[in-house]
Amino acid sequence: MKPYGNQLNFKKKVSYESKKNSEKISIINIKFLHQIFDTINISLLVIIFTLFFLSFNSQRKWSNTYKNLSKTRAINNNLIDFISKIEEFYISELESINNYRKTRPEDLIYLDKLPEKKENLFQKNLSIFIVGFSDSKYQRGY
């Protein structure tokens, strides 16, 4: 069997077309793989930014909560100081009760109640004016 020129040419043509088809398939596969990876990368970026903003928001809320807790702790410390000062005062008062003795009726001094004088406003002002002249508070001119 002698190979004819057309048969060899046909084999070359078929092998060349199969190579060309396989290259097209591999290029299509590569483009498809690139699209898949691009989609995965974009979805990862979207997830990362979403989680970043969620964490940023939660960090802001935690900072506000921590600030409020710090203020509450400061107020609580001030109250504790105030309570300790009050306790110290009451303890000193309780200790000082033993130092004082109770009074007896003989220790008390009774004063008579002084009668209240009812003065007229005019008479009071007139007496102040007269006293002012006698003290030379109101001096005469030339």
Side-chain angles (χ1 to χ4, degrees):
M1 279 188 115
K2 264 188 167 177
Y4 291 105
N6 285 342
Q7 281 184 337
L8 285 175
N9 193 14
F10 182 71
K11 282 185 179 179
K12 285 182 181 178
K13 195 174 191 182
V14 169
S15 67
Y16 177 73
E17 286 181 4
S18 67
K19 269 186 179 179
K20 200 174 186 184
N21 285 339
S22 68
E23 284 178 5
K24 283 184 180 179
I25 291 172
S26 67
I27 288 175
I28 291 173
N29 284 341
I30 289 173
K31 284 184 179 181
F32 184 67
L33 284 173
H34 281 286
Q35 284 181 348
I36 290 174
F37 283 125
D38 287 343
T39 307
I40 290 172
N41 285 339
I42 290 171
S43 64
L44 283 174
L45 282 174
V46 167
I47 288 173
I48 287 171
F49 279 114
T50 305
L51 291 177
F52 169 74
F53 285 114
L54 287 175
S55 67
F56 189 70
N57 187 28
S58 64
Q59 179 65 34
R60 182 183 56 82
K61 287 180 182 177
W62 171 247
S63 296
N64 289 338
T65 305
Y66 182 76
K67 183 171 55 172
N68 289 337
L69 285 173
S70 297
K71 286 180 182 177
T72 306
R73 185 178 64 196
I75 291 170
N76 191 19
N77 287 339
N78 289 341
L79 287 176
I80 289 173
D81 290 342
F82 186 69
I83 289 171
S84 67
K85 287 178 183 176
I86 290 174
E87 286 176 351
E88 184 179 325
F89 172 75
Y90 281 123
I91 288 173
S92 67
E93 287 295 317
L94 287 173
E95 289 175 354
S96 69
I97 287 176
N98 295 333
N99 295 339
Y100 300 117
R101 66 182 183 121
K102 294 184 179 180
T103 58
R104 296 174 300 204
E106 297 88 33
D107 297 333
L108 297 177
I109 301 172
Y110 295 100
L111 298 175
D112 293 332
K113 186 175 180 181
L114 297 174
E116 293 181 18
K117 292 183 180 179
K118 292 186 179 180
E119 281 191 64
N120 190 356
L121 184 63
F122 178 73
Q123 288 178 350
K124 184 177 178 183
N125 288 336
L126 184 63
S127 64
I128 291 173
F129 189 71
I130 292 171
V131 169
F133 268 124
S134 63
D135 290 340
S136 297
K137 189 174 183 181
Y138 306 110
Q139 295 180 359
R140 296 181 193 160
Y142 298 110

